[in-house]
Amino acid sequence: MTLKTSSNEVLITGVGLASSLGADAEAHLARLFSGAPVTPAVDEARYAPYPVHPFAEVDFSREIPKKSDQRQMELWQRIGVYAAGLALSDAGIARNPELLDRTDLVVAAGSGERDTKVDCEVLEKLGPRDDAALLAKEVLPSALRPTLFLAQLSNMLAGNISIVHNVTGSSRTFMGEEMAGLAALENAHRRIAAGQADLILVGGALNAEREDLLLGYEIGHNLWRGSHCPVWDREDGGGFVPGSIGAFVVLESKAHADARKAKPYGRLVAVETGHTQRERGAIVRTLADLLGRMRGLLPDGELPTLSGASGKRPATCEERVFLTQLASQNLNPIVRAYGSLLGHGVEAQFPAGIALAALALKSGRLPPPGGPESIEQPLSAPPQRVLVTGVGHWRGEGLALVEAVA
């Protein structure tokens, strides 16, 4: 059976990736795809008992030249704008007004960062006073920058990417944790496949080093406590280790890429997403349904798979069940959970998986196994295609298929 997924081929022509392991795609190629063992960068002391993958040392001026622009952004925006600039530069679009005018933008973003210092100031001054509303009006006008309204708005990331990098096509922002990243990639892929766009910059960003973010996720019992370990090994309810990540890719129609002689990393063949109520077994059934939509594109045998598993149970357990069931379809998934290496990027997690899949095709490798031998096995030959999974710690499921081009 041949599954027709689109009328127009969708190519990945640019990758911008920055994380705890490096400041750009080349750094990730060197750290993850050289064949050498990978030691994750983890800070277990700063927010103990919760480990975090901190952002690498980065010269933001490389992609955000104006200090005034940097000052008006919190770190999550700087991470996103920086990674977006890397992708544009890698695709040969940066500083090309003709191309930037036609570049559409799709961003996956959270609700932005609260200014916890100001929050603490309000709480400390409140004391025995019972006029909290009046006190807040006294403190906030002098404490908040003009760009802040308690938390930076999600669409400000898209706005700053447009301003700093002169991306002047249409702009869309998706919110909703991991589902935002899934929806952003699905939207961008479908628009190019349908002939509604030729050139789209798509991705997301997360600053994991935030007390407000950690508090919010721990209230829901979502964080992993204690020493870092691979996502598959997190027992007793599991949990994710947040990772600061900026991940953007440039997607382009084949005709447009050929016309400007752009060299692609690979072809984004399909992106399928779902959203279940998370009853027992729902994730397994949903992933099986999503895979069924692209099964005709997958030859039997080894299937290199980059899993976006978070480590939170039961979601990660169900994804593992799905992966083991692929043998019944004559598929042998060769799995790497990239959350074990980069941390969990929430909105940026699925875009990071697409970026890593592109790098895997370029390097002809997967990262070395970093989890149990029962699931992370050696790869016997250079990958010709990579399946990327995305299973949110709470909601949102998706699969994408990236394949090599001649």
Side-chain angles (χ1 to χ4, degrees):
M1 165 179 152
T2 301
L3 179 66
K4 185 177 181 182
T5 58
S6 67
S7 55
N8 294 318
E9 292 187 34
V10 182
L11 304 182
I12 301 173
T13 57
V15 171
L17 181 62
S19 74
S20 58
L21 293 183
D24 52 28
E26 292 301 319
H28 286 81
L29 280 169
R31 290 287 297 274
L32 293 175
F33 299 97
S34 67
V38 179
T39 301
V42 184
D43 186 341
E44 297 184 350
R46 184 177 174 189
Y47 301 106
Y50 311 109
V52 170
H53 294 260
F55 201 56
E57 289 190 14
V58 166
D59 178 11
F60 287 107
S61 298
R62 172 178 171 184
E63 296 295 338
I64 313 173
K66 293 182 180 179
K67 295 296 183 182
S68 58
D69 287 337
Q70 293 187 37
R71 282 195 299 271
Q72 63 89 20
M73 302 180 204
E74 292 291 353
L75 182 55
W76 76 286
Q77 288 205 58
R78 294 198 296 274
I79 291 172
V81 174
Y82 176 85
L86 293 176
L88 292 171
S89 296
D90 189 44
I93 296 172
R95 293 172 292 281
N96 185 326
E98 182 180 354
L99 291 174
L100 291 170
D101 283 349
R102 301 200 306 272
T103 301
D104 297 319
L105 179 60
V106 184
V107 173
S111 60
E113 296 186 40
R114 290 192 64 86
D115 193 327
T116 53
K117 185 176 180 181
V118 175
D119 287 342
C120 290
E121 183 180 348
V122 172
L123 292 173
E124 288 170 1
K125 289 185 176 181
L126 185 59
R129 294 174 57 172
D130 59 2
D131 54 347
L134 180 59
L135 176 62
K137 291 179 181 178
E138 294 173 3
V139 174
L140 297 183
S142 61
L144 295 178
R145 292 194 293 274
T147 55
L148 290 172
F149 179 71
L150 299 184
Q152 291 191 336
L153 302 179
S154 57
N155 59 5
M156 290 179 65
L157 176 55
N160 275 312
I161 291 172
S162 297
I163 292 169
V164 172
H165 300 303
N166 298 310
V167 177
T168 55
S170 68
S171 176
R172 299 185 183 186
T173 298
F174 289 87
M175 290 181 64
E177 297 181 318
E178 291 92 346
M179 193 67 228
L182 293 162
L185 262 299
E186 182 181 45
N187 177 271
H189 177 267
R190 290 189 176 188
R191 287 165 62 191
I192 294 177
Q196 297 174 355
D198 284 318
L199 193 57
I200 299 181
L201 173 66
V202 54
L206 179 79
N207 171 24
E209 300 156 78
R210 293 169 43 190
E211 293 175 340
D212 61 322
L213 178 138
L214 297 175
L215 174 62
Y217 283 129
E218 182 51 15
I219 287 174
H221 305 289
N222 293 304
L223 298 182
W224 175 247
R225 291 172 169 240
S227 299
H228 178 270
C229 63
V231 297
W232 310 115
D233 291 340
R234 296 175 193 169
E235 305 287 346
D236 300 325
F240 67 84
V241 178
S244 295
I245 299 173
F248 277 80
V249 293
V250 172
L251 302 183
E252 193 166 354
S253 69
K254 184 178 186 302
H256 193 277
D258 288 348
R260 68 184 191 91
K261 296 180 172 57
K263 184 178 180 181
Y265 284 87
R267 180 185 297 109
L268 183 58
V269 182
V271 181
E272 301 289 346
T273 69
H275 194 275
T276 77
Q277 292 298 317
R278 292 287 174 96
E279 306 95 344
R280 185 175 181 180
I283 294 174
V284 178
R285 292 190 297 271
T286 299
L287 292 177
D289 176 65
L290 299 180
L291 184 76
R293 302 177 197 176
M294 60 180 73
R295 180 62 181 92
L297 301 165
L298 298 171
D300 293 350
E302 284 190 343
L303 177 59
T305 302
L306 289 172
S307 167
S310 67
K312 181 73 173 68
R313 292 170 178 253
T316 295
C317 294
E318 291 210 15
E319 180 177 343
R320 185 166 179 173
V321 170
F322 161 73
L323 293 170
T324 58
Q325 288 181 352
L326 293 185
S328 65
Q329 299 190 42
N330 299 317
L331 294 172
N332 175 26
I334 307 300
V335 180
R336 300 292 184 269
Y338 56 92
S340 299
L341 305 172
L342 304 184
H344 192 65
V346 194
E347 291 87 4
Q349 188 72 354
F350 198 63
I354 302 298
L356 290 171
L359 297 182
L361 294 176
K362 178 177 181 177
S363 66
R365 298 175 182 263
L366 288 179
E373 293 182 2
S374 59
I375 188 166
E376 298 208 358
Q377 301 173 348
L379 183 68
S380 65
Q384 295 303 305
R385 60 195 52 79
V386 179
L387 183 72
V388 181
T389 75
V391 176
H393 72 283
W394 174 244
R395 292 282 169 82
E397 298 78 40
L399 298 175
L401 181 63
V402 183
E403 68 177 17
V405 294

